[in-house]
Amino acid sequence: MLFVLSGCSMSAPSIEKINGVSFVAARDLVDSTNVKPVVAVNANYAAVMPFGFIKNLEYPEIIHNTDRQWFGETRAGAKQYISELRKYDIKVMIKPQIWVWRGEFTGNIMMKSEDNWKALETSYTRFIMEYAELAEEVNAAVFCIGTELELFVKYRPNYWSRLIEDIRSVYKGKLTYAANWNEFRKTPFWPQLDYIGIDAYFPVSDKKTPSIEDCIEGWKKHKPIIEQLSKANNKPVIFAEFGYRSVDYTGKKPWSYDRSMNGINLDAQVNATQALFDVFWKEDWFAGGFIWKWFVKHDKVGGKDNHMFTPQNKPVESVIRTHYGLH
C-alpha cells in the first residue's frame, strides 16, 4: 500500500522563540499600565529580577529579601510582578541577581579564605533557594541560577554542581545560568542545565556608527563558537541579556556603562540590534533572549536624549516590536 505524505505533514513544528524583556525591579507594585507596553512590543517573556546585595568583592554575606530593599527586588515583589505579567500571558524567567556595593563587577567576587568561600556558598544557597522555591510556586517557565559569577564558578565548581541538584529538588522547570560573553566557554556545568545562557555583550564593530552589515560581519568570529558549544552539549542557547546603548561606538564594548560614553547615537543602537536579530533568531539551536533593559514606568524612561541601554521610546523599540511580532 502506498501512502503519500503532504509537505506540511513532513515539516518540523516551529518552536516559539523567547522574545523577552528584562523587567527591571522598581520601588512599587506594578499594574496593567506597566505591563501593557511589554505586550505592545510583542514580548512573550519577561525576566523578573529580585536582588541580593554584597558589601564588597571579598565579603561572603548576601543580604536579600529585606524591608530595606525596593519592593520589586524582594520575593513578594517578584511574585506580584509575575502575577501581573501572567494576566497578559507573559511567561517568566526568574533571574535573581547580586549587586556589589558601588557597582563592582560580580564576576570578580573572590573570597580570600576557605572559611569565607564556605560562608559565601551557604549565603548564596539561601539566596538562590528562596527564589527557586518561588519559581516552583508560581510555575515559572525558566529559572536562572546565577548571573556573571565567573570567579565564584571557576574556583568552586563542585559547589555549583551540588547547588543545581538542590535547585532541581524543589523546582521542576527549565534551568539556565547567565554567563558573561567572555565567560561562557569556561562554564563547567552546562550539561546539568536546560539552556546555555549568555549575556551577549560581544564586541562586533569599532565604528562610530556601525551599519547592520558591519555588525553581522563582527558576529562571524563569535557565532561559530556559540553554535559549537550548543551542539557539543545538545542544549539550546538563550541570550539571558542582550542589547546596546544608544551611543557612538556601541558595538565596540557593548558591556560598558561608562558615563563618559554619552554621544547619543540612535542609529548605532538600531543597526547593532537588527544585526543580532538577523544573525541568531533564524537558528534552530537558538532559543531567544531578553533585551536589556526594560523599565516598568514606560512613559518616563528612554527617549531620544537617553544614552543608556533601554530601547524604550527610541527608534530601536519599533525594531524590536517588528521582529518579535514575526517570531
Side-chain angles (χ1 to χ4, degrees):
M1 186 178 293
L2 177 66
F3 292 92
V4 178
L5 297 176
S6 72
C8 121
S9 67
M10 292 289 286
S11 62
S14 61
I15 298 173
E16 182 184 52
K17 294 292 188 189
I18 294 172
N19 294 324
V21 298
S22 299
F23 198 64
V24 178
R27 294 177 183 272
D28 304 313
L29 284 78
V30 298
D31 59 26
S32 62
T33 62
N34 308 114
V35 177
K36 285 179 179 177
V38 177
V39 177
V41 83
N42 291 317
N44 58 7
Y45 268 79
V48 172
M49 300 173 291
F51 266 83
F53 297 86
I54 291 182
K55 287 182 181 178
N56 59 59
L57 294 170
E58 300 171 11
Y59 192 76
E61 184 182 357
I62 301 166
I63 304 300
H64 65 97
N65 200 33
T66 74
D67 57 10
R68 298 190 301 276
Q69 294 177 241
W70 285 5
F71 176 69
E73 296 172 345
T74 67
R75 178 169 176 158
K79 186 174 180 179
Q80 195 270 332
Y81 284 18
I82 291 164
S83 176
E84 286 299 313
L85 289 159
R86 284 272 175 75
K87 292 176 183 178
Y88 292 86
D89 297 320
I90 304 293
K91 299 184 181 71
V92 169
M93 175 173 76
I94 298 180
K95 183 169 174 271
Q97 297 195 192
I98 291 175
W99 178 261
V100 185
W101 183 249
R102 301 189 188 281
E104 293 188 85
F105 178 47
T106 53
N108 293 331
I109 292 171
M110 177 77 179
M111 299 301 104
K112 295 299 174 94
S113 69
E114 180 65 17
D115 285 348
N116 276 2
W117 273 123
K118 289 180 176 176
L120 176 63
E121 290 172 357
T122 298
S123 188
Y124 192 82
T125 297
R126 281 198 298 266
F127 170 59
I128 212 70
M129 294 303 288
E130 176 94 52
Y131 292 103
E133 291 166 4
L134 176 63
E136 180 65 17
E137 179 185 341
V138 302
N139 194 27
V142 186
F143 182 69
C144 183
I145 70 169
T147 297
E148 297 179 5
L149 295 167
E150 181 177 357
L151 296 183
F152 189 3
V153 169
K154 177 180 178 179
Y155 289 103
R156 309 300 283 188
N158 293 336
Y159 162 74
W160 284 90
S161 185
R162 293 193 305 271
L163 178 65
I164 292 165
E165 293 175 2
D166 291 344
I167 292 168
R168 292 235 185 249
S169 74
V170 302
Y171 171 66
K172 307 308 179 188
K174 304 288 189 182
L175 295 182
T176 191
Y177 166 76
N180 199 24
W181 71 274
N182 58 355
E183 171 194 359
F184 74 98
R185 284 176 287 179
K186 299 171 283 189
T187 305
F189 45 71
W190 294 132
Q192 290 182 263
L193 303 181
D194 299 290
Y195 296 106
I196 294 171
I198 304 172
D199 287 354
Y201 302 114
F202 295 85
V204 292
S205 175
D206 290 341
K207 293 186 177 180
K208 183 176 180 179
T209 306
S211 67
I212 295 171
E213 293 73 19
D214 292 330
C215 295
I216 290 173
E217 184 66 26
W219 276 111
K220 287 182 178 178
K221 60 181 174 289
H222 306 300
K223 183 182 178 184
I225 298 167
I226 300 169
E227 182 175 6
Q228 182 181 26
L229 188 69
S230 173
K231 299 292 176 62
N233 286 278
N234 194 28
K235 307 283 182 183
V237 170
I238 60 171
F239 285 168
E241 296 174 18
F242 73 93
Y244 299 91
R245 290 176 58 189
S246 45
V247 291
D248 294 339
Y249 304 102
T250 192
K252 188 173 183 179
K253 295 181 179 179
W255 61 87
S256 178
Y257 278 82
D258 186 349
R259 297 274 172 180
S260 69
M261 292 174 59
N262 56 9
I264 294 169
N265 192 329
L266 301 169
D267 290 338
Q269 184 183 39
V270 163
N271 292 346
T273 303
Q274 184 63 59
L276 185 147
F277 285 147
D278 290 348
V279 170
F280 287 98
W281 248 255
K282 65 181 182 292
E283 300 292 351
D284 57 4
W285 51 266
F286 183 78
F290 297 84
I291 194 80
W292 186 264
K293 55 189 175 175
W294 193 274
F295 294 94
V296 300
K297 295 185 176 179
H298 181 71
D299 59 339
K300 298 184 183 300
V301 299
K304 62 183 176 61
D305 297 325
N306 177 276
H307 59 80
M308 296 306 287
F309 281 92
T310 180
Q312 291 164 276
N313 303 303
K314 300 177 184 178
V316 75
E317 185 178 343
S318 65
V319 173
I320 297 164
R321 179 183 299 109
T322 298
H323 183 81
Y324 278 4
L326 294 174
H327 297 268

